[in-house]
Structures are given as C-alpha cells and as structure tokens.
Amino acid sequence: VSGSDIYPYRANAAAIAKPKRGYQFISWSDGNLEERRNILVTSDTTITATFDHIQHHIHVMTMDTTIGTVTGGSIYNMLDTATITATANYGYAFAQWSDGKTANPRRVVVLEEKTYIALFTPLSYEVTALSDNETMGSVIGTGSYYYNTAAVLVAVPNYGYEFSHWSDGTTDATYNLHVACDTTVTAFFT
C-alpha cells in the first residue's frame, strides 16, 4: 500500500493498493472498492487495504471412467502446488496427460484455471492357441491382443480328422475368446 504521509488540510491524498503476485485486492476498510483512490484529508485518517489469495480451479478428468479414474481436482490458491493422480483400472495403463506430460502422480504449480485429462491405453495380452496333436490339425489365432477385445481362434483339422473341442469345453471350431489376461487354449482333434 502506498500513500501514507502527512498532508495539509483539505489536500487530496492518493492511496494505492498493489497486490503481490498470487493475491488480489478486495477492499479498503471503509468499504471502498477502488485500488487507486483519492482521499480528502480533513483529519488524521487510517484505512486498511484487504487482500486475499487469487484462486483457480484445477480440473482433472478422464474420457471414460471404466478404464481409469483421476484425483486432485479442486480449487487452489494461486502459486500453490496441486498433485494430480491418474489410476488405471484393470486391463489398462496410464499413458499421459492431455498436454503430453507422463509424470504420474504429477505436481503442477497453479497459475490459472486449467484442465488435465488423463489418457489410458489398453494392455496387451498373449493368447496362445495350441493343437493337442499337430498331425491331426492346427490352430490359427495365436498372438497379442488388447484387453477386452476378442481373439478369433480357428481349429483347422487335417485331412481325415475332425475338430472335437477346446480345452475349456467350447465345441465350435471358430472360437471368439474374450481377452482379459494371458491365456492358453488347446484344440483337440479326433
């Protein structure tokens, strides 16, 4: 605050309230809301400027809560440090924040209202499809698949043989396996 001094009677005293970085001027003790003001001096006068933190909202979100969640979104004082965290659900991994940063948890200095979106990617799992006897038939479909997708496995019997069943009891030669983890299945031929 500037403007404190000794002034002659009926002079105009200029009072200025200058907030420091991260703060804002609220009001003078006499209710005046102007940061810069003139006061007509008629007696000894004391006025006090009130300041408060500038606050900003930090938003954290995910595009799909079935693949991951986020924490740390709130209203913070300017220049505070917010810690934001992304937690992947089973079958997914945290990839990055929408601004390309990969730290998790992440500390951000609050300078303005900001939104951070957590991006997740599905994990890949190995599906191994085997034949109980390569002489009788083979299997197509072994490979890496993303979580929550279907691995299409096909049992192909050789001439003179037929497909019987998969190791889990499924009897269709074309098997749509829901991928949830590393999995091995075996085709049986007769």
Side-chain angles (χ1 to χ4, degrees):
V1 176
S2 63
S4 294
D5 206 343
I6 298 174
Y7 294 92
Y9 179 73
R10 303 215 35 97
N12 278 319
I16 303 170
K18 293 186 218 173
K20 292 185 178 180
R21 186 169 184 218
Y23 294 88
Q24 61 186 339
F25 170 75
I26 302 298
S27 67
W28 294 98
S29 55
D30 64 357
N32 188 295
L33 301 176
E34 297 172 355
E35 286 184 38
R36 296 173 170 265
R37 63 184 285 200
N38 288 320
I39 301 169
L40 180 63
V41 178
T42 58
S43 64
D44 288 341
T45 304
T46 300
I47 57 170
T48 304
T50 302
F51 299 93
D52 200 359
H53 292 277
I54 295 174
Q55 294 186 318
H56 295 294
H57 200 139
I58 297 298
H59 305 272
V60 290
M61 55 194 300
T62 177
M63 301 309 286
D64 185 350
T65 57
T66 64
I67 61 177
T69 58
V70 290
T71 58
S74 189
I75 296 173
Y76 294 91
N77 292 332
M78 187 171 174
L79 302 177
D80 280 358
T81 300
T83 300
I84 58 176
T85 304
T87 304
N89 290 342
Y90 179 82
Y92 297 91
F94 170 75
Q96 66 181 24
W97 296 99
S98 52
D99 62 0
K101 305 289 184 188
T102 57
N104 185 39
R106 178 177 175 190
R107 295 169 54 89
V108 292
V109 176
V110 178
L111 299 174
E112 61 187 347
E113 182 164 333
K114 194 125 180 171
T115 299
Y116 297 91
I117 302 170
L119 305 174
F120 299 92
T121 57
L123 296 175
S124 67
Y125 293 103
E126 291 299 317
V127 173
T128 305
L130 305 171
S131 169
D132 74 319
N133 186 331
E134 293 287 332
T135 305
M136 294 182 184
S138 59
V139 180
I140 299 168
T142 291
S144 293
Y145 294 87
Y146 287 116
Y147 174 74
N148 211 22
T149 60
V152 179
L153 309 177
V154 180
V156 182
N158 292 334
Y159 180 77
Y161 299 95
E162 65 181 6
F163 170 73
S164 172
H165 64 278
W166 294 96
S167 52
D168 67 354
T170 302
T171 57
D172 291 332
T174 300
Y175 183 16
N176 290 315
L177 174 71
H178 179 260
V179 178
C181 60
D182 291 336
T183 307
T184 300
V185 291
T186 303
F188 291 89
F189 300 91
T190 57

